[in-house]
Amino acid sequence: MSDATPATSATTTSATTQDVPAFGWSGYAERVNGRFAMVGFAAVLLIEALSGDTFLRWAGLIP
């Protein structure tokens, strides 16, 4: 008799890729880091466009 239930592995993959999330220099970590960097860069550009000033002046880091 054959068992109809599929075998499950001990490691699960990401919802969007087949990569297994891991710590350190992995493709998954680099992809997530790159996405957060793009969001941050877009936020800085949006702040500069809406305020009409540089981000450093807007944040009060330079007078």
Side-chain angles (χ1 to χ4, degrees), residues 4-54:
T5 59
T8 58
S9 64
T11 58
T12 57
T13 58
S14 171
T16 57
T17 67
Q18 295 301 318
D19 295 341
V20 177
F23 292 105
W25 294 94
S26 67
Y28 179 79
E30 291 299 312
R31 191 174 312 115
V32 170
N33 186 31
R35 289 175 181 166
F36 278 116
M38 287 185 281
V39 168
F41 186 69
V44 168
L45 290 178
L46 185 65
I47 288 170
E48 289 189 357
L50 294 177
S51 70
D53 208 356
T54 66

